[in-house]
Amino acid sequence: MQKIPLTIRGAELLKQELQHLKSVARPEVIEAIAEARSHGDLSENAEYEAAKERQGFIEGRISELENKLSLAHIINPAEIHAEGKIVFGSTVTLEDLETGEQVTYQIVGEDEADIKARKIYVGSPISRALIGKEEGDVAEVQAPGGVREYDIISVQYI
């Protein structure tokens, strides 16, 4: 089995979702199924079918989260000693050489990725172009509009 890299924050978010599904969502759907059953004929009961479908989704997600957490390789970015190189968990400030615009990203696992929160998936094109580089290097990223070049302003492990 292949380990799934997660930051401490990412693992905590998965644990919180799992806890919510088990303690809130699962009991709610069981109650909804019981309520729908009390209405009689199940063959034409849309509420029952919807509740059963929701139950299947919840149980599937619980199984998925438990599997991911069992395979998790939790990485604390603050404890990384990568000697200035960009690695999983790094927070990187880049400058677009064409526009001069600066942006900061953290390289995270698939479940943590959120572009609005400036967290990018380690398997994304920009992350793959950055991994192994260090402050002062230029990274070439193959974007849909062509190759973009970014100057690496800083690399932090926070």
Side-chain angles (χ1 to χ4, degrees), residues 3 10 14 22 24-27 29 31 38 43 58 67 69 79 86 97 117 119 121 132-133 135 147 154 156 158:
K3 290 288 187 180
L14 292 182
K22 285 182 167 182
V24 178
R26 182 187 268 167
V29 80
E31 188 177 312
S38 71
S43 65
I58 289 169
N67 184 50
L69 288 169
E79 295 177 358
I86 298 172
L97 292 179
K119 295 181 182 292
Y121 173 49
K133 301 228 181 318
E135 198 173 299
V147 176
S154 71
Q156 298 176 297
I158 51 176

Side-chain angles (χ1 to χ4, degrees), residues 16-92:
Q16 287 173 6
E17 181 183 356
L18 180 61
Q19 179 62 31
H20 173 78
L21 289 172
K22 285 182 167 182
S23 64
V24 178
R26 182 187 268 167
E28 285 175 352
V29 80
I30 290 170
E31 188 177 312
I33 289 170
E35 173 70 24
R37 277 190 176 151
S38 71
H39 294 150
D41 186 11
L42 298 181
S43 65
E44 295 181 20
N45 190 329
E47 290 176 13
Y48 177 77
E49 290 300 320
K52 289 297 283 183
E53 188 175 310
R54 176 98 176 111
Q55 181 183 38
F57 170 79
I58 289 169
E59 295 303 324
R61 184 66 179 156
I62 287 171
S63 177
E64 179 183 358
L65 290 172
E66 287 175 338
N67 184 50
K68 284 182 180 184
L69 288 169
S70 73
L71 296 174
H73 176 75
I74 299 172
I75 298 168
N76 182 353
E79 295 177 358
I80 295 173
H81 302 292
E83 298 163 7
K85 294 206 180 300
I86 298 172
V87 295
F88 180 88
S90 302
T91 299
V92 185

Side-chain angles (χ1 to χ4, degrees), residues 6-16 74-75 77 106 112 119:
L6 288 170
T7 63
I8 291 174
R9 174 85 176 119
E12 189 57 39
L13 290 173
L14 292 182
K15 287 175 187 174
Q16 287 173 6
I74 299 172
I75 298 168
Q106 182 181 21
E112 302 171 73
K119 295 181 182 292

Side-chain angles (χ1 to χ4, degrees), residues 119-136:
K119 295 181 182 292
I120 56 174
Y121 173 49
V122 69
S124 69
I126 192 165
S127 292
R128 288 195 316 263
L130 293 171
I131 297 291
K133 301 228 181 318
E134 51 193 38
E135 198 173 299

